[in-house]
Amino acid sequence: MSEKTPLLSGQGGYAPVPGAGGYQPQGGGYAPQGPYPPQGAYPPQGGYQGGPPPAGGYPGAGQPPPSGGYPGAPPGGSYQGGGPPPAGAYPPQGGAPPPAGSVPKFSGEMPNEDVMDDPNSQEAQPTAPPMEKMDNIGGYSNVGFNANVLPPPSYEDVTKEQPPTDRQAIQNVPTITEQDARESLLNFVSQHCCYGKGAAEDLKFLDLKSTSAFHYTLETYGEGRSTCWAYEPYTGQMIDGPQNGTAPGPWDIQASPPSLFQDYNQSFEVPHTASVKPCHDCFASGYVRCHRCFGRGRVRCSSCHGSGHTTRYHDGEHRRERCHWCHGDGRRECYTCHGHGMVVCKTCAGHRNLKCYIKLTVTWKNHVNDHIVERTPLPDHLIRNVSGQIAFEESNQRVWPINHFHEREINEASVRLIQNHQFPTERILMQRHKVRIVPVTQCLYKWKNTESDFYVYGFEHHCYAPNYPQTCCCGCSIL
């Protein structure tokens, strides 16, 4: 079998079977599934249509709303309709940002005097809504804004099956000739600018001792799932809330990796968990206090430090001149808010409202461990990077340890690695293991009065010659 032959050719991804009570395997394996969501599953095409949910709202950041409350807001302060809200209802204007030119003046607490301009001041980053204001979704009571890793549901332990009775036979690998060994050494010398090729051309071989290195590899392809609350600006998109049905369990949602044994992750909005909340950072106004001027709209001039004048040395004397940056005023308009003292809220991007929902993240990870048996001075890691003869290869949802290989250490490594490939927070979709036999030849030679050796390994005939005798072009040896 060629090492480049793909495994499981034409086999698609594996996905859990949704249904009540979590995952139930069928036939000892995983049924292939299509991409999420399948036709007829949630959410149905075109989104969900529904009315507002029961009262129970979100006043925003634990503080009272602006004077008069939110325009058109229901008592709970939350809108969960299946489509755009009705005219005059909350959220206002279907989540549209405030119209251009309507930036309000900041009227809250601010410094008594203009602050010194700091062009490097950092704007506050978006903050998550308070957890106590999130909806109570059945089956997701412990979800926060940080990822909550979910252990997979229990399913039948397929390792209780009997090991295969007919396993692939172990194959041998070819040996190399003296010509192959010399060409390998010459290629090695050509990669070192100060090595002379005379020794490689003139040396006499004393013996070629062919041995084999064994490389065992175990791969376990697992699927992990985590949930967390997520939010984004509400711009009028469809809202699939609890009024459309009960949210499915995190392991009941279908998801398939694009291919087996490849790391990949994908995120989904859990159906029936979304709602619209007024932005807690700006109190549904779309604006927050400017971080540069702290709401005053003006800052002290950084050129004259607020004096309105600067001193310039000209024609041998110091002259006091009016500052040309602030025109002698000592103050100037804040470049960030353009004098309004307010900037667009980064949390809601000026749309005043947030769409909050539970996000499911599915992570497919390929866990790989190996063991190398190599009993010459050749470093083990060199075996890992070359090709060899695939002597044994097997894949299954659960593989059984190798017990018929003629090298006992490989059998023991197979047992140990398979026992260690247990991942409590992941569902194992597929495993595969293989043994490669990599040819290694010790080449004993004599050049002038020097006897030494080098090693040729892999089907590529790579060379390892740490004791090459001609390490300088002129023929002398570097000590």
Side-chain angles (χ1 to χ4, degrees), residues 23 25 28-30 152-164 167 218-222 261 394-401 418 421-423 426-433:
Y23 175 77
Y30 293 80
S154 59
Y155 51 94
E156 182 181 358
D157 189 358
V158 297
T159 58
K160 295 180 180 179
E161 298 177 357
Q162 295 298 318
R167 306 191 87 164
L218 171 66
E219 297 176 85
T220 298
Y221 195 56
F261 302 106
E394 200 172 64
S395 61
N396 207 336
Q397 186 181 348
R398 295 290 191 282
V399 295
W400 272 83
I418 290 177
H421 270 221
Q422 305 295 328
F423 307 101
E426 296 183 16
R427 175 168 55 195
I428 296 178
L429 302 182
M430 187 67 68
Q431 287 185 321
R432 69 181 177 189
H433 59 168

Side-chain angles (χ1 to χ4, degrees), residues 174-260:
T175 59
I176 66 170
T177 64
E178 289 187 1
Q179 181 62 28
D180 295 331
R182 193 180 302 274
E183 291 178 357
S184 174
L185 184 59
L186 285 170
N187 183 59
F188 169 79
V189 170
S190 68
Q191 299 173 16
H192 297 77
C193 62
C194 292
Y195 282 22
K197 65 178 181 179
E201 293 175 338
D202 300 335
L203 62 80
K204 294 183 179 180
F205 287 103
L206 302 177
D207 194 10
L208 298 180
K209 296 183 178 180
S210 296
T211 60
S212 296
F214 307 106
H215 184 201
Y216 174 77
T217 305
L218 171 66
E219 297 176 85
T220 298
Y221 195 56
E223 174 185 318
R225 298 195 173 197
S226 62
T227 54
C228 66
W229 276 102
Y231 63 94
E232 62 186 38
Y234 173 65
T235 60
Q237 63 266 45
M238 289 293 181
I239 301 299
D240 176 18
Q243 73 282 354
N244 293 321
T246 302
W251 284 97
D252 294 331
I253 298 175
Q254 298 184 54
S256 302
S259 60
L260 289 175

Side-chain angles (χ1 to χ4, degrees), residues 301-304 310 322-328 331-332 335:
C301 178
S302 58
S303 178
C304 65
T310 58
R322 187 174 70 167
C323 178
H324 65 279
W325 287 102
C326 64
H327 305 289
R331 309 289 185 273
R332 59 178 179 80
Y335 291 154

